Amino acid sequence: MKKLLALAALALMTQPALAEAPAPRWSLAIHGGAGTLNPKQMTPEKRVQYEADLQKALDAGTAVLARGGDALDAVKAAVVVMEDSPLFNAGKGAVFTWEGTNELDAAIMDGRDRSAGAVAGVKTVRNPILLADTVRTQSEHVFLIGKGAEEFAVSKGFAVTPPDYFATPARREALERLKAEKLSALDVDHKFGTVGAVALDTKGNLAAATSTGGMTGKRWGRVGDAPLIGAGTYADNRACAVSATGWGEFFIRVGVAHEICARLRMAGAKAQAAADAVMADVARLGGDGGVILVTPEGEAIFSFNTTGMYRGRATSAGVNEVAIFGGAEKASQTPDH
Ligand code: ASP
């Protein structure tokens, strides 16, 4: 009897502690590119479309995390939505190369074991992020390119997508303008439309994914930072998960994604400060763009040195927002033009 009473007392004592246990935490951040976005050039209709597709991507990733799913599945789900949207420079709607083709790059990384997969220069895979993940899980390699990557895709059951699927009139017009007016990729695009997602799941695992068509008029097999592990994409459970967008050459030279994670892991830097400092370094070299990151503590952070970045974030604490221009502007606010 005494024993029973003691047990009951113990149960009562432990009750409040159980009730106070914090709810499992998750977080997600997405981007659809950064750049010189001019609010005056963004019609209300266009803005609504961008915000709707960003929200769709955010919702796809959120659904995975909220039901206790894996960070990896969440970032894939979010990126696939943006690859399928013609608005972003990834999958359908990718920019054109100098030769008039669409060549796609993507990378994904699991912060649990730092396993990673990447592809570059693929022309016939509808969702390059899924191929990158298959490189991660079903090959002994990290990075496959061009024809070889496409052969690997077919051997793993990926359908061959007709190259025309990726082409959109707006991106073709950008290439024509670039050639006719001898402009740089930055002049015609005024922004980078690469897409990416980073997530923390309820088990404490981090993941990062990035997918892009690169930069308009790219040639000679040019590959940017997006598929390079450590430059445009990185995830490490001990530090953070990062996905970048911007002028890839500068992000490669700075090793942006790994550099941010290294500052968190080794120097104990605060996430926002580390991201801002690394982006300032990119700017010092002459580059621009932005990053998204999540930390093991659940922070979901943006840092960009451009006038805007298509972005969104959602957390288990109830944050759910998409934004385009600077500051903490939210989708629900009135367009400023
Ligand atoms: N970072 C990409 C690249 O250089 C471009 C982008 O962010 O849109 O290929």
Side-chain angles (χ1 to χ4, degrees), residues 89 105 192-194 212 214-215 222 224-226 244-249:
N89 172 21
D105 309 333
F192 312 97
T194 290
T212 188
M215 290 174 81
R222 180 264 186 195
D225 60 312
T245 173
W247 197 341
E249 280 68 10

Side-chain angles (χ1 to χ4, degrees), residues 51-122:
E51 287 171 351
D53 282 4
L54 284 170
Q55 190 67 54
K56 214 168 131 192
L58 196 64
D59 291 348
T62 296
V64 174
L65 295 169
R67 63 166 183 261
D70 287 349
L72 261 174
D73 291 329
V75 295
K76 276 190 281 181
V79 166
V80 161
V81 169
M82 292 186 281
E83 285 181 336
D84 289 346
S85 163
L87 299 177
F88 304 105
N89 172 21
K92 188 172 186 66
V95 298
F96 279 84
T97 65
W98 186 261
E99 291 77 23
T101 56
N102 306 108
E103 295 183 7
L104 313 168
D105 309 333
I108 190 162
M109 188 161 183
D110 184 349
R112 237 177 325 203
D113 56 0
R114 279 171 285 157
S115 60
V119 294
V122 298

Side-chain angles (χ1 to χ4, degrees), residues 31-34 89 95 105 189 191-195 210-216 218 222-227 232 244-252 288-290:
H31 71 78
N89 172 21
V95 298
D105 309 333
D189 286 342
K191 65 173 173 57
F192 312 97
T194 290
V195 309
T210 314
S211 182
T212 188
M215 290 174 81
T216 301
K218 67 182 183 179
R222 180 264 186 195
V223 176
D225 60 312
T245 173
W247 197 341
E249 280 68 10
F250 293 92
F251 283 68
I252 295 172
D288 60 355

